[in-house]
Amino acid sequence: MFNPSRLTLARKRRRYSKKELAEAIGVTPHSVLRYESGKIAPTREVELRLSKVLDFPIVFFSGHDVDELGVEGASFRSLSSISAKDRNSALAAGSLAFMFADWVEERFDLPKPDLLDLGDDTPEIAARSLREHWGLGERPVKNMVELLEAKGVRLFSLAENTVTVDAFSVWRREVPFVFLNTVKTAERSRYDAAHELGHLVLHLEGGPTGRAAEHEANQFASAFLLPEADVVATIPRVHTLNQVIEAKKRWAVSVMALLHRLRRLEIMSDWQYRMFCIDATSLGYRREEPFGISRERSVVWQKVLTMLWSERVTKVEIAKDLQMPTEEVENFLFGLASETIEEQAVELRPPLRLVP
């Protein structure tokens, strides 16, 4: 049976409008509209064309319904700057990741969510409360991806070749999901992860939307990654930009993020902040970080893949079982589904429990 919702998902993932897809497969736009509404099913010949143009296996279009991510259910950063095609493609990637997450949870016990509903707190207090709940104290977070995964957040990468899609997050069946773009710097990705964590704990029951919600999530991320007591103790006074550049290594954040935090904590004046921002921009620090860090990648998915590969279950077989292109599995797994890891994985034995 042809599933029209899967055609819509594949079309959006490949950034086609209905009209563009119709032209690509040689039918009228009205026909594509009727395919997606379920009023008619495409012929076998048209299905083959859809499979070729959209680069999805033909069996994908006859699978069960997939949880579709809507704009209203996901928290996007800089939503106003995202084109509809980029947004829809990222959301479609999220739906494919849901399929993988469900497939994995049938086979493995993953960490249970351990987040708090902090919607009644200010972002600063919320960040402090969550740090206390997780026993972090005031020390820097060494690895944001590893921390969030340990607390039950399902993290996936976005292979969107655009700077307009930073990250987004969503609650699904009481499980938090965060999707991170890997185009920008590793420091920015850490901040994006903290920003989405802010959405998850501050806006669980709704609350502000649009710019107000993004501002709260930014404040939370800054306070979570750069706790006040530690910042004040480490850099109580600022005289030069080089001092900031050296200090940022402690928290593995961007120069701009630390400058903003120092101004907010009144460690530097507004005049200093403006001058240092101008200098940092002229030096290219908005695009590339001095003393850049390595990109954080999933620990949970690496353990899952390693155990699967120890049983000779490869990425190709995973994709075949999920009826999706192998490339899509690679896209949302931080590049872990590589041939090199597959070849080496048999020797690894991660502490992850299979579901009986």
Side-chain angles (χ1 to χ4, degrees):
M1 294 290 291
F2 183 81
N3 188 332
S5 67
R6 288 201 168 212
L7 171 56
T8 303
L9 180 65
R11 174 178 63 77
K12 290 180 177 179
R13 180 67 189 126
R14 300 299 182 232
R15 295 179 171 83
Y16 277 98
S17 67
K18 293 185 181 71
K19 181 180 179 181
E20 290 168 341
L21 180 59
E23 292 174 352
I25 63 173
V27 301
T28 66
H30 185 62
S31 294
V32 173
L33 179 63
R34 297 180 75 191
Y35 297 154
E36 293 195 14
S37 66
K39 291 183 178 179
I40 62 171
T43 64
R44 182 65 176 178
E45 182 183 351
V46 172
E47 275 195 78
L48 289 169
R49 283 186 232 151
L50 285 169
S51 176
K52 182 177 180 180
V53 168
L54 297 174
D55 194 23
F56 272 79
I58 197 165
V59 293
F60 176 83
F61 300 103
S62 58
H64 58 74
D65 287 343
V66 178
D67 281 355
E68 190 170 352
L69 258 170
V71 178
E72 68 286 346
S75 169
F76 273 97
R77 293 193 64 187
S78 306
L79 185 57
S80 61
S81 65
I82 303 173
S83 71
K85 285 186 177 181
D86 285 344
R87 179 198 65 206
N88 291 338
S89 181
L91 290 171
S95 294
L96 297 175
F98 285 166
M99 293 172 62
F100 176 78
D102 292 342
W103 186 88
V104 168
E105 295 207 32
E106 290 176 359
R107 296 162 175 78
F108 295 89
D109 279 336
L110 300 182
K112 302 294 186 256
D114 182 25
L115 275 64
L116 301 175
D117 181 357
L118 300 169
D120 292 332
D121 294 334
T122 66
E124 191 87 27
I125 292 176
R128 196 176 307 132
S129 297
L130 190 59
R131 274 181 154 272
E132 182 179 346
H133 178 68
W134 286 349
L136 299 177
E138 297 289 332
R139 65 182 184 274
V141 176
K142 291 183 179 179
N143 189 310
M144 272 299 297
V145 169
E146 185 174 349
L147 173 64
L148 295 188
E149 287 188 325
K151 302 306 178 182
V153 179
R154 308 293 184 251
L155 275 110
F156 291 96
S157 58
L158 289 168
E160 311 306 303
N161 190 24
T162 172
V163 297
T164 63
V165 182
D166 291 292
F168 68 92
S169 57
V170 65
W171 281 91
R172 174 181 179 251
R173 301 175 190 170
E174 300 184 349
V175 176
F177 285 74
V178 169
F179 299 86
L180 300 174
N181 199 330
T182 56
V183 171
K184 296 187 177 180
T185 66
E187 289 86 351
R188 179 62 179 269
S189 188
R190 273 172 57 86
Y191 189 89
D192 286 344
H195 177 100
E196 297 308 324
L197 176 61
H199 279 302
L200 291 171
V201 299
L202 290 171
H203 308 136
L204 175 60
E205 301 295 338
T209 58
R211 291 183 180 275
E214 295 306 309
H215 180 64
E216 285 193 351
N218 275 332
Q219 286 185 303
F220 175 92
S222 182
F224 189 83
L225 289 174
L226 296 157
E228 180 176 355
D230 193 38
V231 172
V232 172
T234 302
I235 183 169
R237 288 173 297 279
V238 180
H239 302 293
T240 66
L241 180 60
N242 283 338
Q243 189 181 354
V244 177
I245 293 171
E246 186 64 30
K248 87 179 189 76
K249 298 177 187 177
R250 175 174 176 80
W251 300 284
V253 297
S254 68
V255 172
M256 302 306 296
L258 181 52
L259 285 173
H260 179 80
R261 185 61 169 159
L262 291 170
R263 182 188 65 167
R264 184 170 181 82
L265 295 176
E266 299 183 351
I267 293 173
M268 67 166 54
S269 67
D270 288 344
W271 181 85
Q272 279 182 304
Y273 174 75
R274 287 193 297 272
M275 292 301 101
F276 286 165
C277 283
I278 291 171
D279 291 344
T281 300
S282 67
L283 291 168
Y285 294 160
R286 287 186 182 272
R287 298 183 304 275
E288 188 174 346
E289 285 295 320
F291 305 110
I293 62 173
S294 299
R295 188 170 300 280
E296 298 174 355
R297 299 199 297 175
S298 170
V299 175
V300 166
W301 300 140
Q302 184 170 29
K303 290 178 179 179
V304 166
L305 293 174
T306 299
M307 186 169 286
L308 288 170
W309 286 324
S310 73
E311 300 296 327
R312 299 298 191 270
V313 178
T314 68
K315 64 180 179 183
V316 174
E317 291 169 308
I318 295 170
K320 184 178 180 181
D321 209 16
L322 292 171
Q323 302 177 330
M324 69 174 67
T326 304
E327 177 190 48
E328 292 296 343
V329 177
E330 295 172 338
N331 284 344
F332 55 65
L333 291 181
F334 295 86
L336 294 171
S338 67
E339 295 296 337
T340 302
I341 292 179
E342 286 188 20
E343 292 168 0
Q344 298 174 351
V346 177
E347 302 176 3
L348 301 175
R349 293 294 183 270
L352 198 73
R353 193 165 66 86
L354 279 164
V355 174

